[in-house]
Amino acid sequence: MKNLLFIVNPSAGKKHIKSKLFEIVDLFVKADYNVRVYPTQAKEDALRLVSEEGWLYDVIVCAGGDGTLDEVVTGCMKCGCDTPIGYIPCGTTNDFAKSLGIPKDPIRAAKRIVKYQPQPIDVGSFNGDFFVYVAAFGAFTDVTYTTPQEYKNYFGHMAYVIEGIKSVTSLTSYHLKVEYDDYVIEDDFFLGMITNSLTVGGFQNPNSKIALLDDGMYEALFVKYPTNPIDLQATVSAYLMGEFNPEYMYQFKAQRIVVESPEVIPWTLDGEFGGNVSRAEVLNLKHALNIIKK
């Protein structure tokens, strides 16, 4: 029998996964897997387990949000194992699952894991740390980890919308130098995203029209700091509608991106706090891992 590690975040989303656990495990067992179920107990619990034991298993399945998937991917990268990953999305937004076409229903997602073969995905490096689909800073980007879990469990995605609207009243301007390929951009920004996803924080990603998830390139969006109320309204509206507006935004694709600032900036990686840095080097590691999607 093949060995399957099933990591479950029991606090993810609205906690619906708990009622489906027996059915999912039974489905895996019927597919000839020897299943070990591990409910996470604290932040970075999945990262620790996978980095220590990931190489022992034929498949690693995680049930949780994008943060749980991030921990599993980071654990695999740290231990150097190429164990295929299955993902059962049950978080608040599940951005990366939407990009991969993985269904929200946990039973349907589990059935795909036993039916389909793994396919390669790109993984990001952020100053040597790892992320799956987004490295970002500025307005709206911290609501995924600053919003209390009880709000997310009760309101779902609407909790992010409420917190995001509140953040508009306190936009921060960052003067940045951005280097990619043979180009350099220098300007004042209130938001920046380096992504590999169709949505971010549950909102349509303005990069979605140029996004490819396995081409070894990241799609970058840097939004200029508005100088007057009219520009503010136009800029925020375009972003929330998932539209690229060249008058207010820079957009490009690159394998390596370096962002420098005179001051430290708080970054978000896959919806979790990624650290305060004044220099961020982001690399796309093409086809670094395999995930079972369809």
Side-chain angles (χ1 to χ4, degrees):
M1 296 181 69
K2 296 170 288 185
N3 293 316
L4 185 151
L5 175 60
F6 186 21
I7 297 174
V8 181
N9 180 352
S11 299
K14 295 187 177 182
K15 304 182 180 181
H16 294 323
I17 189 64
K18 293 181 179 180
S19 63
K20 305 290 186 179
L21 279 179
F22 178 82
E23 189 174 354
I24 293 172
V25 173
D26 185 61
L27 189 154
F28 290 153
V29 171
K30 284 183 168 61
D32 294 327
Y33 283 105
N34 179 31
V35 182
R36 177 191 175 189
V37 180
Y38 185 88
T40 59
Q41 305 297 305
K43 183 177 173 60
E44 297 192 350
D45 210 10
L47 189 160
R48 175 196 55 79
L49 179 63
V50 174
S51 62
E52 293 175 355
E53 303 180 17
W55 58 276
L56 295 172
Y57 297 90
D58 298 287
V59 178
I60 300 172
V61 177
C62 66
D66 294 318
T68 307
L69 176 64
D70 176 274
E71 288 194 25
V72 170
V73 167
T74 299
C76 286
M77 296 298 293
K78 286 184 178 296
C79 77
C81 65
D82 58 355
T83 306
I85 297 170
Y87 183 30
I88 300 176
C90 49
T92 303
T93 59
N94 309 303
D95 285 313
F96 199 59
K98 293 175 186 175
S99 300
L100 295 175
I102 298 174
K104 293 171 60 177
D105 178 76
I107 303 302
R108 289 177 59 203
K111 287 180 178 178
R112 287 191 173 208
I113 291 170
V114 300
K115 180 179 179 180
Y116 294 113
Q117 297 298 312
Q119 298 180 38
I121 61 167
D122 300 341
V123 174
S125 168
F126 178 90
N127 288 350
D129 197 358
F130 301 101
F131 67 96
V132 181
Y133 73 97
V134 59
F137 68 87
F140 315 119
T141 61
D142 64 348
V143 297
T144 50
Y145 66 84
T146 58
T147 303
Q149 185 64 48
E150 57 268 27
Y151 290 3
K152 292 189 280 187
N153 290 344
Y154 187 80
F155 293 108
H157 173 62
M158 185 55 63
Y160 289 161
V161 176
I162 295 170
E163 292 297 316
I165 293 173
K166 288 163 56 178
S167 72
V168 173
T169 61
S170 57
L171 296 181
T172 301
S173 175
Y174 301 103
H175 187 78
L176 304 178
K177 183 172 75 170
V178 182
E179 299 180 27
Y180 67 99
D181 298 335
D182 295 323
Y183 299 93
V184 177
I185 296 170
E186 191 162 355
D187 212 328
D188 295 323
F189 303 97
F190 76 91
L191 169 66
M193 300 191 303
I194 299 169
T195 63
N196 202 25
S197 175
L198 302 182
T199 63
V200 176
F203 295 98
Q204 185 71 23
N205 184 357
N207 289 332
S208 60
K209 292 182 179 179
I210 63 170
L212 292 173
L213 307 185
D214 58 357
D215 63 345
M217 306 282 280
Y218 275 125
E219 292 76 40
L221 184 81
F222 289 84
V223 184
K224 299 178 186 179
Y225 188 80
T227 57
N228 58 67
I230 295 176
D231 285 351
L232 171 62
Q233 181 179 359
T235 303
V236 173
S237 295
Y239 172 75
L240 293 178
M241 294 292 290
E243 298 173 352
F244 170 65
N245 187 325
E247 185 175 354
Y248 305 111
M249 304 172 180
Y250 294 92
Q251 185 183 60
F252 57 86
K253 294 172 71 81
Q255 186 273 332
R256 177 180 179 268
I257 302 167
V258 177
V259 181
E260 295 182 308
S261 169
E263 58 185 318
V264 295
I265 298 176
W267 283 75
T268 301
L269 303 180
D270 292 340
E272 302 292 334
F273 178 61
N276 295 304
V277 301
S278 59
R279 183 182 189 275
E281 181 181 23
V282 180
L283 303 173
N284 183 298
L285 308 177
K286 185 177 182 179
H287 294 182
L289 287 176
N290 291 298
I291 193 165
I292 304 168
K293 50 182 182 177
K294 59 183 177 179

